[in-house]
Amino acid sequence: MQASNYDSSERSLAEGALYYLNILFRYKIMIILVTAVITVGTIIFCYISIKLPPKESPLPNYYAAQSTILIQQNNQTDVADTILVALGVSGNNRYTSSFDNGSLVIEILRSRTLIDTLIKEFSFGERYGTGNANKGKTREAVLAHCNFTYSRTTGIIRVSFVDTDPVLAMNVVNRHVELANAWFTENRGQAKQKKLQGLEDKLNSVKNDIAVLSKRLKTLPDIDQNYAIYTSELAVQQRIYDTLSPQYEAVKLAPEIDPIFTVFEYAEIPDMKAGPQRSLLVMLSFGASFAGACLLAIVLNMIKKKRISESHNP
């Protein structure tokens, strides 16, 4: 009984396939014509898009220029801890930053500060038709052409820019990297001086407090009720001074802060297009037009059968 049901289902599937194949065969000329017209039209469209200038082409070639930068690991904490230990202060309990340098670099590359500079220097408002007044849309347009990839295992960031002009793409990438490098050089180069100045100011303040308290204690007798208060405050200020002083000396002896990243490769003029894939577009148009033509043939056959049925049964 089961074998009989299996054979009947196989026959029904075969009959159904033959039924639709028969329909497609009867409309074969229409299917061939529709597929050929759309496919040839797509080929002509792709050919014209190649021959026309990029500004006039509906589907211009675009190029991707790419620069590679290496992220440096922080080693300042180890140096500072070594100096503090040499000065007799343990650095085990010191706070260390755990943020990722690579993620920081990408955030700076995407920042409004750098993007606005690129917009101004390369006139992207006019190029993308967003106007100089609408900064938000221009920023979105520029970032849409940028790409940032970061590999944590290798510490490599690749910065790329896509445009129909390969020379412009190269210039934008290299300028983008230069702006980021200048920003980090300016800000991190001043980090040691700022930290040193902050510690020096605090030490001077503590010194003044110690001098004032010591002077007050000299003028008070031991039995004065304020004597114990001033003595306690003096001890606290002295401990603060003893803690800050080694840190101040460690910062003075520590080397200058190393740059976060190093440019490994600047971008060059790309000699191969990044897109579009016109061959894929032609294949997709062929497949879509063939499937659409087959579906149209089945629909036309259903309409024809319906009309015949209505004419025989008025």
Side-chain angles (χ1 to χ4, degrees):
M1 184 66 178
Q2 292 180 352
S4 177
N5 291 335
Y6 181 75
D7 292 340
S8 61
S9 62
E10 276 194 339
R11 284 196 300 272
S12 61
L13 288 173
E15 290 171 356
L18 290 174
Y19 171 76
Y20 286 108
L21 285 174
N22 183 48
I23 295 174
L24 298 180
F25 183 77
R26 280 189 280 125
Y27 286 91
K28 61 181 180 299
I29 296 178
M30 183 203 71
I31 294 173
I32 293 173
L33 287 176
V34 170
T35 304
V37 168
I38 295 177
T39 304
V40 172
T42 304
I43 293 173
I44 295 173
F45 171 79
C46 292
Y47 178 79
I48 293 174
S49 69
I50 296 174
K51 293 299 181 182
L52 287 175
K55 292 184 179 180
E56 301 176 7
S57 174
L59 194 67
N61 290 340
Y62 54 85
Y63 302 85
Q66 179 176 273
S67 176
T68 304
I69 58 181
L70 304 177
I71 302 300
Q72 305 296 326
Q73 298 298 326
N74 285 327
N75 59 0
Q76 296 300 320
T77 300
D78 296 336
V79 174
D81 285 345
T82 302
I83 296 172
L84 286 172
V85 170
L87 293 171
V89 180
S90 175
N92 294 331
N93 296 326
R94 294 176 69 245
Y95 170 76
T96 57
S97 176
S98 61
F99 67 83
D100 185 12
N101 282 344
S103 299
L104 174 62
V105 171
I106 291 179
E107 288 300 319
I108 298 301
L109 288 169
R110 296 179 60 88
S111 66
R112 293 193 302 270
T113 301
L114 268 60
I115 297 300
D116 286 349
T117 303
L118 293 176
I119 291 172
K120 182 178 179 181
E121 292 183 0
F122 293 96
S123 303
F124 281 127
E126 299 176 3
R127 184 173 184 83
Y128 297 141
T130 54
N132 296 325
N134 198 336
K135 288 186 177 180
K137 287 187 177 180
T138 308
R139 288 169 186 159
E140 289 180 357
V142 173
L143 287 173
H145 288 75
C146 294
N147 186 41
F148 312 102
T149 58
Y150 173 42
S151 173
R152 296 177 185 272
T153 56
T154 59
I156 291 178
I157 292 179
R158 288 184 171 86
V159 184
S160 62
F161 188 83
V162 177
D163 196 86
T164 56
D165 184 351
V167 177
L168 175 66
M170 177 195 68
N171 291 335
V172 172
V173 170
N174 288 337
R175 182 56 178 156
H176 203 169
V177 172
E178 288 173 0
L179 288 172
N181 193 27
W183 189 91
F184 279 107
T185 300
E186 179 181 356
N187 287 273
R188 287 179 65 84
Q190 298 175 356
K192 178 180 176 179
Q193 296 301 324
K194 290 179 179 179
K195 187 174 183 179
L196 195 62
Q197 187 62 47
L199 286 170
E200 187 175 355
D201 293 342
K202 185 62 179 176
L203 280 171
N204 290 332
S205 176
V206 173
K207 281 182 181 178
N208 292 333
D209 291 341
I210 291 174
V212 171
L213 290 170
S214 298
K215 186 176 180 180
R216 289 178 180 176
L217 285 173
K218 290 179 180 179
T219 62
L220 293 176
D222 296 347
I223 60 174
D224 191 286
Q225 60 180 358
N226 291 324
Y227 189 87
I229 297 175
Y230 290 152
T231 302
S232 177
E233 289 183 3
L234 179 60
V236 171
Q237 294 298 323
Q238 188 63 51
R239 286 198 297 270
I240 293 175
Y241 182 84
D242 292 340
T243 301
L244 293 178
S245 182
Q247 294 184 18
Y248 177 72
E249 295 299 326
V251 172
K252 284 202 303 183
L253 294 174
E256 295 294 334
I257 298 177
D258 294 331
I260 279 184
F261 69 85
T262 303
V263 180
F264 177 67
E265 287 182 338
Y266 280 99
E268 60 180 13
I269 300 176
D271 54 1
M272 296 179 62
K273 70 181 182 72
Q277 297 182 346
R278 294 185 178 87
S279 58
L280 178 61
L281 179 62
V282 172
M283 288 188 290
L284 289 175
S285 66
F286 171 80
S289 60
F290 179 77
C294 292
L295 181 61
L296 178 61
I298 294 173
V299 171
L300 291 176
N301 183 73
M302 291 174 61
I303 294 173
K304 183 178 179 181
K305 288 182 64 177
K306 184 177 180 180
R307 289 178 177 176
I308 293 173
S309 177
E310 289 177 350
S311 62
H312 289 166
N313 300 303

